[in-house]
Amino acid sequence: MSGHQCTENPPHLDPNSGSGHVEKLGNLDTYVSGSTHSKLAVLLVSHVFGYETPNLRKLADKVAEAGFYAVVPDFFHGDPYNPEDKDRPLLIWAKDHGQEKGFEDSKPILEALKNKGIANIGAAGFCWGAKVAVELAKQKLVDATVLLHPSRVTVDDIKEVNIPIAVLGAELDQVSPPELVRQFEDILASKPEVKSFVKIFPSVKHGWTVRYNENDPSEVEAAEEAHKDMLAWLIDYVK
């Protein structure tokens, strides 16, 4: 994570948001939504503000409505980034919450899902979470992945992905700017055996899919378009 865009427009966290509930999954508190009888699951890996972000939970509910068992783990163990804590700026906070640890913590989540009878799993990662999602893709621990305004995802990461992958970037993103996202697109285009989809959304910034202003119709429209693309990808390749 780098740059102020990772921390702009912080959400008002709400532990009671969403139509699902919180339970332990793989030793982490996890927001879950959808039928436990589903054989398909989607792991949503949050941005630095964590799993109590209302817009993220609302998106998980959308995923659940499409037939998936949607899970949003608390990878930060009750310690999401707090922009009001001036003694702990993002780079200091991140030392306690590395994306490598998030990747390791995701493995028991996947195991717990399989123990519930889940047959196929997709991953969607947002900012911080996109690095975790791409690591899962590289190791083929999920069936498909979507990276939304990724942070710290590299060209080398993308080169190692051999499962269906979608990358949704923002025109005004300073963390993963369009130039980098186009490099991702070129790499994926050189591997026709890997199903891929890359899109750069005009006039939006890093974080737009989960940190949008609900009272701004243009922001809502851009976020919902990204949600639609994400869901379409997961429906096509997690089955």
Side-chain angles (χ1 to χ4, degrees):
M1 273 133 344
S2 60
H4 68 283
Q5 282 191 332
C6 280
T7 58
E8 280 184 347
N9 304 321
H12 296 287
L13 303 183
D14 182 357
N16 299 311
S17 56
S19 59
H21 66 277
V22 173
E23 63 179 56
K24 285 286 185 185
L25 192 68
N27 296 320
L28 294 182
D29 288 337
T30 302
Y31 176 78
V32 301
S33 186
S35 172
T36 56
H37 300 296
S38 178
K39 298 297 182 185
L40 307 175
V42 173
L43 167 65
L44 294 95
V45 191
S46 77
H47 57 173
V48 297
F49 296 104
Y51 85 133
E52 292 181 353
T53 300
N55 286 344
L56 181 58
R57 290 191 176 187
K58 186 185 295 186
L59 179 53
D61 293 340
K62 281 186 189 178
V63 172
E65 288 168 9
F68 296 99
Y69 187 62
V71 300
V72 190
D74 177 15
F75 285 107
F76 307 136
H77 303 271
D79 182 38
Y81 174 67
N82 177 6
E84 295 182 2
D85 185 350
K86 303 306 180 186
D87 293 328
R88 209 159 168 236
L90 182 64
L91 293 179
I92 299 299
W93 173 89
K95 289 180 180 179
D96 295 324
H97 300 291
Q99 290 153 311
E100 299 81 4
K101 184 176 185 301
F103 169 63
E104 293 300 326
D105 284 347
S106 69
K107 293 178 183 178
I109 297 286
L110 300 180
E111 193 63 34
L113 289 171
K114 290 174 182 175
N115 289 339
K116 287 178 176 286
I118 298 291
N120 299 93
I121 303 171
F126 305 80
C127 186
W128 183 96
K131 182 69 169 181
V132 175
V134 82
E135 290 295 333
L136 292 170
K138 287 159 59 177
Q139 300 293 330
K140 295 186 177 180
L141 296 178
V142 292
D143 296 283
T145 194
V146 183
L147 312 181
L148 302 98
H149 38 88
S151 171
R152 295 187 62 200
V153 173
T154 68
V155 164
D156 287 339
D157 286 329
I158 299 299
K159 287 178 179 177
E160 292 186 47
V161 174
N162 289 298
I163 66 165
I165 179 171
V167 183
L168 307 183
E171 180 187 16
L172 307 178
D173 197 325
Q174 297 169 3
V175 180
S176 290
E179 296 77 17
L180 178 61
V181 176
R182 291 191 186 99
Q183 288 183 57
F184 295 167
E185 185 175 28
D186 290 342
I187 291 163
L188 293 167
S190 74
K191 301 196 296 183
E193 72 280 6
V194 178
K195 300 294 184 183
S196 64
F197 175 75
V198 178
K199 183 173 178 178
I200 296 171
F201 286 69
S203 305
V204 294
K205 295 180 180 180
H206 183 81
W208 92 97
T209 68
V210 286
R211 297 207 301 273
Y212 56 90
N213 179 354
E214 290 184 319
N215 297 316
D216 185 324
S218 64
E219 289 193 18
V220 171
E221 181 180 1
E224 290 183 344
E225 182 181 342
H227 299 164
K228 183 179 178 181
D229 289 341
M230 180 195 86
L231 198 49
W233 190 257
L234 295 168
I235 289 169
D236 280 349
Y237 294 106
V238 183
K239 57 185 178 181

